[in-house]
């Protein structure tokens, strides 16, 4: 069991920002990363679809062989985390926007959260706000189209710049001092987001916290170690197209010029 990989999935390549943190903190684990590219973006899809798809993927990953599962997607977590935990007999790490650390960090009592439409409309996100952000003002900004534009056109594209202009300007004007990046795609455009904001505004993503949580869970279940830092990338889309996007996002200097498999859950 210890020799099995940790399975990680996202709608696409946003979860690679989480995989980066996982590999950094857990160099003696192997990872199987699945990008559900055929159904990208998750952010505009109905909750029932995301729940069924999330369970299907989790069950298929468990059958393939995994010692733990990371849902490297805030949208899939919001819709499907509970159903996935009920469906598979594996330690599961899910992720949600960093509302709690953002509220704790804010000096001025005003924070913003960027996430997909489906995430911000979910009951799970509403609960998160009620539990951890009652004492601060929260500007919630859904960013429809942003994850898809990052993958299709690249972080420095005119399409992304237009969307950031639209979504970030109200945040810049509102005087927040912390912005939670509540979608795993958004760290790919953190520099561009920062350029739209006054200097000193902090951007928070939860990749490192997810890696710490996975590490705790693996140790507690005595499943840690046993790998060599191997990564397998798989997609439900077209591997050659995903290859181009991975290289654009991750760069050739990552030491990870990985073959990409087609995989159907
Ligand atoms: N990366 C995903 C998230 O963390 C979803 C992006 C999308 O497919 O809309 O929410």
């Amino acid at each position: 069991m210890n020799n099995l990989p940790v399975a990680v999935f996202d709608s696409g390549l946003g979860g690679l920002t989480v995989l980066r943190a996982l590999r950094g903190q857990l160099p003696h684990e192997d990872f199987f990363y699945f990008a559900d590219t055929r159904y990208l973006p998750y952010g505009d899809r109905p909750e029932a679809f995301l729940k069924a798809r999330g369970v299907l993927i989790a069950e298929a990953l468990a059958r393939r062989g995994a010692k733990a599962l990371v849902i490297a997607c805030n949208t899939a977590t919001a819709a499907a985390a509970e159903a996935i935990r009920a469906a598979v007999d594996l330690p599961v790490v899910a992720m949600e926007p960093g509302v709690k650390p953002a509220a704790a960090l804010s000096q001025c009592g005003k924070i913003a959260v960027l996430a997909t439409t489906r995430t911000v409309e979910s009951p799970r996100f509403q609960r998160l706000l009620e539990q951890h952000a009652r004492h601060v003002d929260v500007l919630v900004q859904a960013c429809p189209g942003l994850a898809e534009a990052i993958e299709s056109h690249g972080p420095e594209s005119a399409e992304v710049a237009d969307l950031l202009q639209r979504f970030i300007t109200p945040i810049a004007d509102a005087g927040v001092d912390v912005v939670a990046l509540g979608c795993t795609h958004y760290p790919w455009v953190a520099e561009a987001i920062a350029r739209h904001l006054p200097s000193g505004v902090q951007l928070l993503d939860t990749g490192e916290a997810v890696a710490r949580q996975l590490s705790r869970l693996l140790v507690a279940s005595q499943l840690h170690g046993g790998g060599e830092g191997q990564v397998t990338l798989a997609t439900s889309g077209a591997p050659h197209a995903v290859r181009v996007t991975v290289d654009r996002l991750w760069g050739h200097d990552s030491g990870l010029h990985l073959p990409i498999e087609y995989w159907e859950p």
Side-chain angles (χ1 to χ4, degrees), residues 54-100:
V55 169
L56 182 87
I57 291 169
E59 288 176 339
L61 289 168
R63 272 198 307 277
R64 185 185 180 280
K67 63 177 170 183
L69 173 65
V70 177
I71 308 173
C73 176
N74 295 267
T75 310
T77 295
E82 279 155 38
I84 287 173
R85 285 186 204 279
V88 295
D89 187 18
L90 288 176
V92 175
V93 180
M95 60 195 306
E96 56 195 10
V99 168
K100 186 180 177 185

Side-chain angles (χ1 to χ4, degrees), residues 73-225:
C73 176
N74 295 267
T75 310
T77 295
E82 279 155 38
I84 287 173
R85 285 186 204 279
V88 295
D89 187 18
L90 288 176
V92 175
V93 180
M95 60 195 306
E96 56 195 10
V99 168
K100 186 180 177 185
L105 208 63
S106 177
Q107 300 285 316
C108 72
K110 279 189 192 171
I111 66 168
V113 183
L114 305 176
T116 66
T117 307
R118 189 60 53 236
T119 296
V120 304
E121 288 178 354
S122 67
R124 192 181 169 109
F125 182 69
Q126 294 310 319
R127 283 200 297 277
L128 193 65
L129 291 181
E130 277 157 30
Q131 282 166 5
H132 300 297
R134 289 175 87 111
H135 59 294
V136 291
D137 287 340
V138 186
L139 203 157
V140 177
Q141 178 68 61
C143 305
L146 183 55
E148 204 181 2
I150 290 167
E151 291 216 12
S152 310
H153 305 291
E156 298 297 336
S157 62
E159 288 81 358
V160 166
D162 282 352
L163 290 169
L164 291 182
Q165 177 73 25
R166 173 140 54 98
F167 297 138
I168 309 300
T169 304
I171 292 173
D173 293 345
V176 306
D177 60 353
V178 187
V179 177
L181 304 180
C183 168
T184 54
H185 280 78
Y186 302 166
W188 290 124
V189 290
E191 282 172 23
I193 291 173
R195 285 199 294 272
H196 283 78
L197 292 167
S199 64
V201 175
Q202 295 194 57
L203 301 184
L204 270 188
D205 81 76
T206 50
E208 296 293 340
V210 163
R212 284 193 295 276
Q213 175 65 2
L214 175 64
S215 175
R216 277 192 292 269
L217 271 183
L218 290 177
V219 170
S221 347
Q222 299 190 324
L223 289 171
H224 57 294

